Amino acid sequence: MIKDPIREKRIFTFRAVLAMLFIILLAAVLVSRVYYLQVVDYDHYTTLSDKNRMQLQSVAPTRGLIYDRNGILLADNQPVFSVSIVKERVDDLEQTIAKIGNIIELSDDQIKNFDRRLKNRRKPYDPVPLKSKLTESEIARLAVQRHLLPGVEVEAELVRNYPYGELMAHMLGYVGRINIKELKNVDATNYSATNYIGKLGIEKFYENVLHGKVGRQTVETNARGRVLRVLDQVPPLPGRDITLSIDLRLQQVVAEAMGDYRGAVVAIEPATGDILALVSTPSFDPNLFVTGIDHKSYAALRDSLDIPLFNRALKGQYPPGSTIKPIIGLAGLDTAVVSRQTKIQDPGWYQLKNDERFYRDWKRYGHGVVDLYDSIVQSCDTFFYSMAFKLGVDRMSLYLDKFGIGSRTAIDINEDRKGILPSRAWKRGTKGLPWFPGDSLNMGIGQGFMLATPLQLATATAVLANRGRWHRPHLAQKISEGISQDESVEIPRMHETDPPDVILNNPEDWDYILGSMKSVMHGKKGTARATGRNSAYKMAGKTGTAQVVGIKQGELYDAEALAERHRDHALFVGFAPYEAPEIALAIIVENGGGGSSTAAPVARKIFDAWILDLPKAEQEKETSSRIKYETFPSHNNVDPVSVSVERRHNHG
C-alpha cells in the first residue's frame, strides 16, 4: 500500500485542532463555572457553606415558677431526657424508628403522636420528639447505639412538674405541647424554641408572664449535625414567678373534708378578694398531660361518670337553692316590700290566686307564724314565695346582679361560666314564653331557671360578709419583676375597678340579715345549729338544697327511692368569724342531700382549720424556731439569720 504522508499529516492536524478546540471549550466551561461559583454566586454558596458548619439556634427560656401564698412551690420545672429525630438527616424514617424500637420500648401512641408532630412541625431540621421521660437504662442503650442512628438525638429539656398533682389541677391547669393553632395566637419568634404552652387555669391565663423571652446561639456543627461548640450566645430571659393567694394547707384541708364527694369548694378572703382555696372533686393528675397523655389514660378520664376533667368550681352551674335567701331578704327590705315586722302564717304551702298548684315548703306542715328573720334561720320557703311574688322578677334580678350572680367578676380566671340570672327578656329570648308569677316564686327560693357557679356563690357571700363592699376575686397576689425574684409588682387587673358597692337605704338591714345567718349556725332553730355547736368563734351561714329531678304535685321527696345521681344537691354558703370575717366560702356536694347534714359539716372543718388550726401551727413553728435559735447558737462569730414566717393573712 502506497503511503500518503501529506494526507496523513492533514488528518492528524485536523484531529489535533479538533481535540484542542474541545479542550479549550471544556476549559472555558470549567472556568466559567468556577467564575460563576466564586464570583457571581459567591454570597449564596458562602451562606450554604456556613450553614453546613454553623447554625443559628433558638434557646428556650425557663418557665416561671408558681408558689402559694406561703412560698410553697406548686409548679416547677424538672429536666427529662427525650429522644428526637431530625427527618432531613435520616435516610429511611421508618427503618430508623424500627431501630429505635429495638433498643427501647415504643408504644403505638408514641409513634402516632410522632407522626402528628412531624406533620405539624414549624420548620425543616426541627427535631421532633419520639419519646419523652427516658429512663437511665434507655439513655444508656441509645448512647451505645448512637453511631448507628444518624439524625437521632437524645437531649435533656425542662418540663413542667406539679408536685401536688390532683390537689391543684383545676386551679393551676397544666401545660402541654404547643400546636399550630396555638402558634398563630402567639409571637412565633418568641416561641421558636418552645415546645410547651399553658392549656388551662393559671398556666394559660398568665402564659405571657410565665413564658419568658427566647434566646439565640450560633453553634458549630459537624457533618452529622452534632454541636461541636457554641460560637456566640444571647441568653434567654426566664419567665417571671407568680405567687398565688391560694393556701396549700387550706387546699389540703378542703380536699380531705370533701373526701369522696363529687362537688366543689371556693373559699375567699373577704377583705382582699384573695381566693384561699379552689377545689373541684374528683380531680386528675395534670402531670399526665405535660408530655402527652396516652390514649388509654385519657379515655379513662374522659369516659368516667364522675367527669374528673370538669372544673365544677368554675364551670359547674347549679340551682343555688336557699343560699340566695339572704340576698332576696335584703331586696325585700330595701324595696319596702316587707319589713322587719312582716309576718305570715305558714301552713306548709303557698298558693297563687286562681291557681290550683301548691308551692310546697320543705317542712310538710309549715313553720307556723314567721317573719323574715325566722324564715332565713329556718329556711322557710313559704315566706319567700310570698315575698318573691311581691318583689317580681325585675327587682330580684337587679339585687342578685349587685352581688355578682349571673356575672363573671374574677380578675384572672377565664374559664368560669356566667350561670343564668333569669329575667323577662331572658325567658322570652330563650324559651319564647312570657314570665309567669310561678316563675318568680321558684326564683325566690333559688330554683327554677336560675343557675350559679360555686365561685359566684362564694363571691356573693364575701360581699355579704363585707356588708356590700366589693373586692373582685383573684388567684395571683404578686408577680416577680424581671429576672430579680426580690422585686415584685401588683397583679395586672382585667378590670380597672371593682363593681360598685351594694348600698342599702337602711344600713341597719345588714345587721338584721347577717344576724339571721349567724342564727342559722347558732340559733335554737337554725338549720345548721348542729354544725355551729360548741364553736370557739361565731360564724354565719345559709344552707341550701337544690332539686335534681322534679317531684310530682303532692308527692314526698324520698331519697332512698331515687338513684344516687338523682338525689338533691347539698349547698352551703357562709363566713367566719362573724365579727371580723376572715374567710367566706361556698360548698356544693352533688347529690349530697340536705345542705345542713352534708355541706355544713364540711364548712365547719374548713372554718376551724383556717381560724384555729393553721394559725396555731404557725405559732408553734415560730416558737420552735426561736427555741432552736436560743439552744444552738451559731459558730465562727457569725450571727444566725432570722427567718420570719409571714402570716397567711393580714387584716388592717
Side-chain angles (χ1 to χ4, degrees), residues 616-635:
K616 182 180 179 181
E618 287 179 356
Q619 186 178 9
E620 290 175 351
K621 184 177 180 180
E622 291 174 353
T623 302
S624 175
S625 298
R626 288 196 298 271
I627 292 174
K628 184 176 180 180
Y629 169 78
E630 294 169 357
T631 307
F632 301 100
S634 63
H635 298 283

Side-chain angles (χ1 to χ4, degrees), residues 37 41-51:
L37 294 176
D41 214 15
Y42 172 81
D43 293 336
H44 173 71
Y45 287 101
T46 299
T47 302
L48 289 180
S49 177
D50 285 341
K51 283 186 176 180

Side-chain angles (χ1 to χ4, degrees), residues 125-351:
Y125 289 91
D126 265 359
V128 179
L130 177 61
K131 183 177 181 179
S132 300
K133 298 183 178 179
L134 299 177
T135 65
E136 292 184 3
S137 175
E138 290 173 329
I139 296 171
R141 293 200 298 271
L142 287 169
V144 171
Q145 302 292 330
R146 182 177 181 180
H147 64 286
L148 300 175
L149 299 170
V152 177
E153 300 177 356
V154 177
E155 296 180 337
E157 63 176 342
L158 290 176
V159 300
R160 206 58 152 174
N161 176 64
Y162 303 101
Y164 297 96
E166 295 185 2
L167 184 63
M168 293 291 179
H170 288 293
M171 184 271 302
L172 289 178
Y174 58 85
V175 300
R177 291 198 178 274
I178 193 168
N179 56 45
I180 297 298
K181 182 179 179 181
E182 290 165 335
L183 272 177
K184 294 178 180 178
N185 298 321
V186 297
D187 182 352
T189 301
N190 198 31
Y191 279 77
S192 57
T194 302
N195 293 322
Y196 303 95
I197 193 171
K199 301 284 187 176
L200 286 173
I202 284 293
E203 293 279 22
K204 181 178 181 180
F205 187 90
Y206 286 107
E207 172 63 28
N208 292 338
V209 173
L210 291 165
H211 177 260
K213 187 175 181 180
V214 70
R216 296 283 186 273
Q217 65 179 14
T218 303
V219 298
E220 184 178 0
T221 61
N222 61 16
R224 290 178 174 268
R226 309 289 183 190
V227 175
L228 300 177
R229 57 174 176 156
V230 178
L231 303 176
D232 185 38
Q233 186 177 34
V234 177
L237 296 179
R240 297 162 68 183
D241 298 340
I242 297 179
T243 299
L244 301 181
S245 59
I246 291 289
D247 190 297
L248 173 65
R249 303 165 304 169
L250 185 66
Q251 188 91 348
Q252 292 170 327
V253 169
V254 172
E256 291 173 4
M258 287 294 287
D260 295 330
Y261 289 142
R262 296 184 306 275
V265 178
V266 178
I268 297 176
E269 187 176 54
T272 61
D274 284 358
I275 297 178
L276 305 173
L278 191 152
V279 173
S280 175
T281 58
S283 187
F284 64 96
D285 185 0
N287 292 299
L288 295 174
F289 290 85
V290 176
T291 55
I293 187 170
D294 63 271
H295 179 75
K296 182 179 179 181
S297 299
Y298 180 72
L301 291 172
R302 180 195 61 204
D303 300 335
S304 171
L305 289 177
D306 294 332
I307 47 177
L309 295 176
F310 183 66
N311 190 337
R312 290 166 166 85
L314 305 180
K315 298 181 180 180
Q317 299 179 115
Y318 306 92
S322 296
T323 60
I324 64 162
K325 285 179 178 177
I327 299 176
I328 299 297
L330 279 173
L333 290 174
D334 204 48
T335 57
V337 165
V338 296
S339 68
R340 301 183 190 185
Q341 289 72 40
T342 301
K343 295 183 179 182
I344 67 165
Q345 174 68 40
D346 172 23
W349 49 267
Y350 181 84
Q351 193 173 26

